[in-house]
Amino acid sequence: MLILVFGLLIVVNATTFVMIQRTASVNRTIEHAQLMRRASRTTLISMLNAETAQRGFLLTGRSDFLQPYRQAQEEMKPAVAFLDEGAAQDPTLKAPVDRIHRLADLKWAEMERTVTLAQQGRIGQSIQAVRSGEGKRYMDELRAAVDAFDALKSARIAERRKASDRFGVLTVTMNAIAGLLVIVLALLSAWMVRRYVSELQAARATLDAANAGLEDKVRERTGDLMRANEEIQRFAYIVSHDLRAPLVNVMGYTSELEQAGRVVDKAIADAEKTRAVDADVIMAVREDMPEAIGFIRASTEKMDRLINAILKLSREGRRNLAPETLDMTAMAQNIADSVHHQTEASGARIEVQPLPEIESDRISMEQIVGNLIDNAVKYLDASRPGEIVVSGEDVPGGWVVYRVADNGRGIAPRDHERIFELFRRSGKQDRSGEGLGLAFVRNSVRRIGGTIDVESELGKGSTFLLKFPKRLIVAEPGGAL
């Protein structure tokens, strides 16, 4: 319906435009015809004025009568020229206009002869020429020609006015139809808008109902996740705590075994002074037992580090966040100063550029930046002077971005995500560590509402990108996220 109404409206508007153009054209034709009528009348009136001045000059002999005679001649010229121009545009007018032009020329030639004779002093001949009736005959024929031309133009003007009236009526009719179409279009638009609004309201009501149910589900799932997370943290804490007791015993008994080994070794040494001791005993005491105790000690120390890391993650997850305004430039510089002895020994340099302030948890930010700088120092490339740059800026939307860039070993693309997993490391394993640092960093970053990404290429260095909200908002004052 809308397409049909729009199509009809376009057709009506086009028709109205054509009618207006035609009406304007007809009106211009009527105006031109009126001007031609006026030009023919001007020719006749100018000729009458000239004839009157001629008669006055012949009767009185006063030359001042020649002034209106010549003025009438000048007035007639543009009128006759306009008639000729109109006849050139409309061939049907050529014959009547030529007749008017010819009679005007003949009458004017007759008047010129009488005026010339009078100026030469032959007034009798001049009067006789007037009395001959030639001038009167020309004048009567000119008047008749002008009247005929006027009648012809009047008839054409009447016809064109009727056409103009028809075009006007048609234009008004088209405008009325256009008005009705506009009303129909408005009603259709209003109906469609109302239907659209009704559908939109119904969809919104459905969406609100779905959102309400979804919010309930989200709250329920969030509660379940929080409880599960708390249980996991509690379980990790309990397991780690419970593992430490037997581990301490193992470490203690390992020390006792080590001490007992030394006592046995001393006893064997004393016995060797008086008699020969079995070689297997000596090997068991002096080689096999220390080696076994060394393996036990290394394994228990590694297990101790893992348990400490798990406890650290568990405690960090249970710690309450305390947002405050942080001078990140000073914080990063203090961390850089704390590893100055390591960078000085390796010939490396740490540059801390001006960093934007942030409102966040101080302990989390210190641990995040500290871990990243420690990692950058640990994995510098010994083949070139180390360079670590800490930079940052505010970004639109209430966010801040920090970067920790180095020119160290770099990370293979396949390991960009794996390095953030627990107990996962990449590259050559020539540095101590359990693969917990970056996992701890990502966990801390997420707790304070941020994200962490890495851009790295083997042999060229790495850049860790941290993005945080400018202001950290916790669920409750002092509450944990």
Side-chain angles (χ1 to χ4, degrees):
M1 286 293 291
L2 278 177
I3 294 174
L4 177 62
V5 172
F6 270 119
L8 290 175
L9 191 59
I10 292 172
V11 171
V12 168
N13 285 336
T15 305
T16 302
F17 177 77
V18 172
M19 292 300 102
I20 291 173
Q21 294 297 318
R22 290 187 178 180
T23 301
S25 177
V26 170
N27 289 338
R28 284 194 297 268
T29 304
I30 292 173
E31 183 180 359
H32 188 267
Q34 293 284 18
L35 292 175
M36 289 195 71
R37 287 181 62 195
R38 186 180 301 170
S40 66
R41 287 296 176 183
T42 299
T43 301
L44 179 61
I45 292 170
S46 297
M47 195 62 71
L48 289 172
N49 291 337
E51 186 181 45
T52 301
Q54 174 218 14
R55 300 290 174 86
F57 175 71
L58 294 179
L59 291 175
T60 62
R62 292 170 54 185
S63 59
D64 55 344
F65 277 96
L66 294 178
Q67 182 179 357
Y69 174 79
R70 297 301 177 191
Q71 184 177 355
Q73 185 181 24
E74 293 300 321
E75 291 176 354
M76 190 183 69
K77 288 180 180 179
V80 174
F82 186 77
L83 290 174
D84 291 339
E85 181 182 349
Q89 295 176 0
D90 186 357
T92 61
L93 299 178
K94 183 171 177 56
V97 169
D98 286 347
R99 186 184 177 199
I100 292 173
H101 202 157
R102 181 176 58 81
L103 291 172
D105 290 343
L106 290 173
K107 175 60 180 175
W108 200 262
E110 182 268 333
M111 288 190 296
E112 280 290 325
R113 286 197 304 272
T114 59
V115 170
T116 301
L117 288 173
Q119 287 176 336
Q120 293 175 354
R122 294 185 289 178
I123 190 67
Q125 295 180 8
S126 176
I127 295 296
Q128 186 63 33
V130 173
R131 288 177 177 175
S132 68
E134 180 184 5
K136 180 178 182 304
R137 179 168 54 82
Y138 290 152
M139 199 66 194
D140 291 342
E141 290 181 3
L142 178 62
R143 185 179 289 107
V146 169
D147 288 342
F149 181 80
D150 187 81
L152 174 64
K153 297 303 290 183
S154 297
R156 291 189 176 184
I157 289 172
E159 292 177 359
R160 289 186 172 90
R161 280 179 175 167
K162 290 180 181 178
S164 178
D165 291 341
R166 287 196 301 271
F167 289 145
V169 171
L170 186 58
T171 301
V172 171
T173 303
M174 290 296 102
N175 285 334
I177 294 174
L180 291 175
L181 289 175
V182 169
I183 293 173
V184 172
L185 182 62
L187 292 174
L188 282 174
S189 300
W191 175 74
M192 290 189 67
V193 169
R194 183 176 179 181
R195 189 179 71 173
Y196 173 75
V197 171
S198 298
E199 292 176 354
L200 188 62
Q201 289 176 344
R204 183 174 297 170
T206 303
L207 183 61
D208 289 342
N211 285 339
L214 183 61
E215 289 176 359
D216 292 338
K217 290 182 179 179
V218 168
R219 281 193 293 268
E220 181 181 351
R221 297 293 175 84
T222 301
D224 293 340
L225 287 174
M226 290 179 65
R227 286 189 294 272
N229 186 51
E230 290 174 358
E231 289 296 329
I232 291 171
Q233 290 178 354
R234 190 178 300 110
F235 176 74
Y237 181 80
I238 292 171
V239 169
S240 301
H241 183 271
D242 290 346
L243 283 176
R244 290 187 68 85
L247 184 62
V248 169
N249 291 333
V250 172
M251 294 174 69
Y253 284 119
T254 300
S255 298
E256 291 185 8
L257 285 175
E258 195 173 24
Q259 183 64 31
R262 285 195 291 268
V263 172
V264 172
D265 183 61
K266 185 176 181 304
I268 290 174
D270 292 340
E272 284 179 327
K273 294 177 182 179
T274 59
R275 59 185 179 85
V277 180
D278 189 349
D280 291 339
V281 174
I282 294 175
M283 181 176 290
V285 173
R286 293 181 177 175
E287 295 183 16
D288 295 343
M289 185 181 296
E291 184 180 5
I293 292 174
F295 284 138
I296 294 172
R297 183 177 297 279
S299 298
T300 54
E301 288 176 353
K302 181 176 181 180
M303 186 177 293
D304 186 54
R305 290 195 299 270
L306 292 175
I307 290 173
N308 287 335
I310 294 173
L311 282 173
K312 183 179 180 183
L313 285 173
S314 177
R315 292 192 186 101
E316 181 64 22
R318 297 161 63 88
R319 185 179 62 83
N320 290 337
L321 300 177
E324 60 178 289
T325 302
L326 305 176
D327 184 348
M328 292 301 298
T329 305
M331 179 187 292
Q333 189 61 57
N334 290 336
I335 295 171
D337 293 341
S338 68
V339 295
H340 177 69
H341 63 287
Q342 300 177 39
T343 55
E344 186 177 24
S346 61
R349 181 179 69 91
I350 299 179
E351 177 187 353
V352 178
Q353 298 180 358
L355 305 176
E357 290 186 345
I358 188 173
E359 185 176 337
S360 190
D361 183 69
R362 176 180 294 276
I363 295 176
S364 297
M365 292 301 296
E366 286 178 344
Q367 291 173 341
I368 292 167
V369 177
N371 271 280
L372 292 178
I373 291 179
D374 285 341
N375 262 17
V377 173
K378 181 187 293 186
Y379 295 106
L380 287 173
D381 193 335
S383 64
R384 56 176 175 266
E387 185 172 339
I388 301 168
V389 179
V390 183
S391 61
E393 72 273 346
D394 289 311
V395 294
W399 293 83
V400 61
V401 170
Y402 301 114
R403 298 180 184 84
V404 179
D406 63 67
N407 63 341
R409 300 178 180 181
I411 303 167
R414 67 175 183 275
D415 292 329
H416 284 185
E417 180 62 26
R418 293 174 59 190
I419 58 174
F420 295 107
E421 298 175 3
L422 282 169
F423 312 121
R424 300 297 291 271
R425 304 175 70 190
S426 68
K428 186 167 59 174
Q429 305 300 311
D430 59 348
R431 295 289 189 273
S432 62
E434 307 302 331
L436 292 170
L438 290 177
F440 177 76
V441 166
R442 183 165 68 172
N443 181 66
S444 299
V445 168
R446 288 176 174 175
R447 285 199 72 223
I448 56 177
T451 60
I452 181 170
D453 292 296
V454 63
E455 296 174 355
S456 183
E457 187 176 347
L458 276 176
K460 293 187 177 180
S462 305
T463 300
F464 286 88
L465 297 99
L466 302 164
K467 184 177 181 181
F468 298 104
K470 187 73 175 176
R471 183 183 178 192
L472 173 64
I473 300 177
V474 295
E476 298 177 359
L481 289 179

